[in-house]
Amino acid sequence: MTKFSPFEVSLWYATAAPAPETTPLEGRVRADVCIVGGGYTGLTTALELARDGTRVVLLEREEIGYGGSGRNAGHCTPTFTHYSLPELRRMLGEPWAERLIARQTRANDRVGDMIQRYQIQCEWQQNGYVQAAPHKNALRGLEEKVRAYNAVGAKTRLLDRDEVEKIAGSPRFHGGWFHAEAGHLNPLGYARGLARAVMQEGGTVHTRSPVVSCKPEGGAWAVATDKGAVVADKVIFATGAYTVGGWPKLDQTFKIHKVFVAATQPLTEDERRTVLPKNTTIHDGRGDIYVYKYNAEGRIVASMFPMGRRGRNMDYTHRLMSDRLKWLHPQIRQEIRWEYFWYGELDMQYRTVPRLYGLAPGVVALTGLSGRGVPTGSMLGGILSEWARGVPEKDLSLKLEPLTAAPFYMNFGPPLTLRYYRVADWIRTRLAGADLPPHA
Ligand SMILES: Cc1cc2nc3c(=O)[nH]c(=O)nc-3n(C[C@H](O)[C@H](O)[C@H](O)COP(=O)(O)OP(=O)(O)OC[C@H]3O[C@@H](n4cnc5c(N)ncnc54)[C@H](O)[C@@H]3O)c2cc1C
């Protein structure tokens, strides 16, 4: 069994608004729909269903947000990661691609609406996202992104050098792609707020309730934990990278890859006036990505992928992260202290879009969010609740597939791709005559 990274060490665990009071499931209960997994995917599905009066019970093995939903970096950018929209259309085919693109690119409407409607305390800031151009040759790809995303209704635009400097407060970028609808939040606060909303709408949430089996019983399904069972007509597994048991081989549908996140001490007010002065999220556009933003206390929260010494040797990792931040923002004079540092696990799929598995009549599972799960998990509640309400398979926004194991090459494909991006970035930056950050 995978040993997951520690949960309690993150900045979010120290700062998120408290979770609603919940108890483990004890005894047998009846429901229309049982949802397994208390991350964004499970919670937003439960919320959709509870709102229209469906009897819904959500079972979480540990606590709300224990998985990726409570430990991610908090960027909420309603786009796809890795593949462009034309590539996704080729991979997924129609009508699936267009439906999913529509849902994903409008995901922040849902996020903003849920936060507003249920008054979720999660530091939500919708000030946009910049994917920067580290050299002028990167601008061509960003122009294509503007065309592709704006054609499906997103509000994005190309920034020139001066504009990006005004928004990011960094002199290192040669332009950038601005997505006005993107936001950032305290991810654990958001997950806990969603759980509170589910309960407010009449849904039931049980934590410390690990699902150990799911068996047919009298025309329904008995979803058993160590101390009780939910008998439900429909069952949804939304257990992501943190899947433990519940349904045979579900944990083989993806490969786990780690990400780490770190948070500095709060920057001074003077520094905050010029470093990310608009409180946006910045992706530095490098092959070796560094994404960062503020939390409500004015700490910079930055994420990277472990690679080579990075992530293993902590002194080196802290130095690398500080050197990158100071290179991007020479106006930061003080020494950077990474006061929080934590890891989390991603459920990677080769298409990097979620996969919906039909496990048995009345039982589905959804895994493989592959990152960008804040908007993705939040919009998946719309798709899964439609399935639970009986929308025909052909009208769903994800194709229902039989459970299949992730291909073997997913063990090494993503790390190799990251290394390739890093080398390609080095070569392109040199060819463009631009500067490389330290440790590149
Ligand atoms: C370090 C890190 C940084 C990231 N940064 C970002 C970011 O900045 N922006 C972004 O958009 N995305 C980011 N992601 C991705 C995003 O966090 C995830 O894709 C998303 O949270 C997954 O949500 P989920 O609901 O599908 O799964 P999870 O949040 O993982 O929830 C699954 C839940 O199921 C429970 N469970 C498992 N087995 C059982 C069982 N048998 N019985 C009951 N419960 C069970 C688990 O305990 C867990 O709580 C990041 C991920 C990580 C790990």
Side-chain angles (χ1 to χ4, degrees), residues 51 220 245 252 255 268 289 435:
R51 249 189 221 178
Q252 293 176 22
K255 296 288 180 190
T268 63
I289 64 173
D435 293 336

Side-chain angles (χ1 to χ4, degrees), residues 58-171:
L58 183 145
L59 301 174
E60 161 56 45
R61 181 175 165 256
E62 301 280 347
E63 59 181 286
I64 292 303
Y66 173 83
S69 301
R71 39 176 111 201
N72 65 68
H75 317 134
C76 189
T77 309
T79 59
F80 291 88
T81 164
H82 195 66
Y83 289 109
S84 69
L85 297 187
E87 283 169 328
L88 279 168
R89 290 187 179 104
R90 278 195 293 280
M91 273 190 305
L92 301 178
E94 294 305 347
W96 312 104
E98 230 45 63
R99 290 180 188 166
L100 198 67
I101 288 170
R103 297 246 185 201
Q104 182 74 354
T105 51
R106 297 315 324 148
N108 277 17
D109 296 348
R110 295 173 66 88
V111 174
D113 178 63
M114 289 185 287
I115 291 172
Q116 164 82 30
R117 188 187 298 208
Y118 298 103
Q119 294 294 297
I120 298 178
Q121 292 169 42
C122 63
E123 307 173 26
W124 174 236
Q125 294 287 328
Q126 199 169 10
N127 300 324
Y129 162 93
V130 173
Q131 181 175 334
H135 48 77
K136 60 183 183 324
N137 295 346
L139 288 168
R140 206 169 319 122
L142 299 181
E143 274 167 24
E144 277 164 31
K145 262 182 118 134
V146 172
R147 269 196 296 278
Y149 274 97
N150 289 7
V152 295
K155 296 185 183 78
T156 83
R157 65 190 171 90
L158 206 64
L159 302 175
D160 64 23
R161 204 179 172 136
D162 287 347
E163 284 176 300
V164 80
E165 183 158 358
K166 277 198 194 103
I167 293 176
S170 168

Side-chain angles (χ1 to χ4, degrees), residues 98-345:
E98 230 45 63
R99 290 180 188 166
L100 198 67
I101 288 170
R103 297 246 185 201
Q104 182 74 354
T105 51
R106 297 315 324 148
N108 277 17
D109 296 348
R110 295 173 66 88
V111 174
D113 178 63
M114 289 185 287
I115 291 172
Q116 164 82 30
R117 188 187 298 208
Y118 298 103
Q119 294 294 297
I120 298 178
Q121 292 169 42
C122 63
E123 307 173 26
W124 174 236
Q125 294 287 328
Q126 199 169 10
N127 300 324
Y129 162 93
V130 173
Q131 181 175 334
H135 48 77
K136 60 183 183 324
N137 295 346
L139 288 168
R140 206 169 319 122
L142 299 181
E143 274 167 24
E144 277 164 31
K145 262 182 118 134
V146 172
R147 269 196 296 278
Y149 274 97
N150 289 7
V152 295
K155 296 185 183 78
T156 83
R157 65 190 171 90
L158 206 64
L159 302 175
D160 64 23
R161 204 179 172 136
D162 287 347
E163 284 176 300
V164 80
E165 183 158 358
K166 277 198 194 103
I167 293 176
S170 168
R172 300 289 182 189
F173 304 132
H174 295 248
W177 180 64
F178 183 65
H179 194 317
E181 294 162 288
H184 61 77
L185 43 67
N186 177 322
L188 182 58
Y190 177 47
R192 287 175 173 175
L194 287 172
R196 197 180 290 282
V198 171
M199 293 161 75
Q200 202 176 311
E201 292 288 359
T204 305
V205 175
H206 289 291
T207 48
R208 310 275 172 220
S209 303
V211 169
V212 291
S213 69
C214 175
K215 302 236 163 77
E217 186 182 290
W221 291 92
V223 184
T225 66
D226 49 352
K227 295 196 191 113
V230 179
V231 179
D233 301 319
K234 293 199 168 165
V235 183
I236 297 171
F237 284 87
T239 46
Y242 292 78
T243 303
V244 178
W247 191 275
K249 299 194 176 158
L250 190 53
D251 58 354
Q252 293 176 22
T253 55
F254 52 83
K255 296 288 180 190
I256 283 187
H257 291 284
K258 289 201 177 213
V259 190
F260 66 78
V261 189
T264 65
Q265 75 271 35
L267 297 194
T268 63
E269 270 183 34
D270 252 10
E271 286 163 335
R272 280 153 67 183
R273 264 194 283 280
T274 61
V275 176
L276 312 191
K278 311 276 187 218
N279 199 0
T280 40
T281 301
I282 308 291
H283 175 319
D284 72 351
R286 312 228 67 108
D288 186 15
I289 64 173
Y290 190 79
V291 189
Y292 60 110
K293 52 121 183 161
Y294 283 118
N295 84 328
E297 304 161 298
R299 298 173 189 274
I300 294 274
V301 181
S303 55
M304 287 187 100
F305 286 99
M307 195 189 291
R309 264 169 88 195
R310 187 203 310 161
R312 262 192 293 121
N313 175 332
M314 295 321 290
D315 286 345
Y316 171 72
T317 307
H318 286 177
R319 204 163 56 246
L320 176 144
M321 293 190 77
S322 304
D323 291 349
R324 176 84 66 110
L325 188 57
K326 285 201 156 186
W327 182 79
L328 288 164
H329 297 282
Q331 66 270 49
I332 304 179
R333 298 255 176 254
Q334 60 175 322
E335 195 194 324
I336 301 287
R337 295 190 310 275
W338 296 98
E339 294 187 346
Y340 294 88
F341 189 97
W342 68 99
Y343 288 89
E345 285 76 17

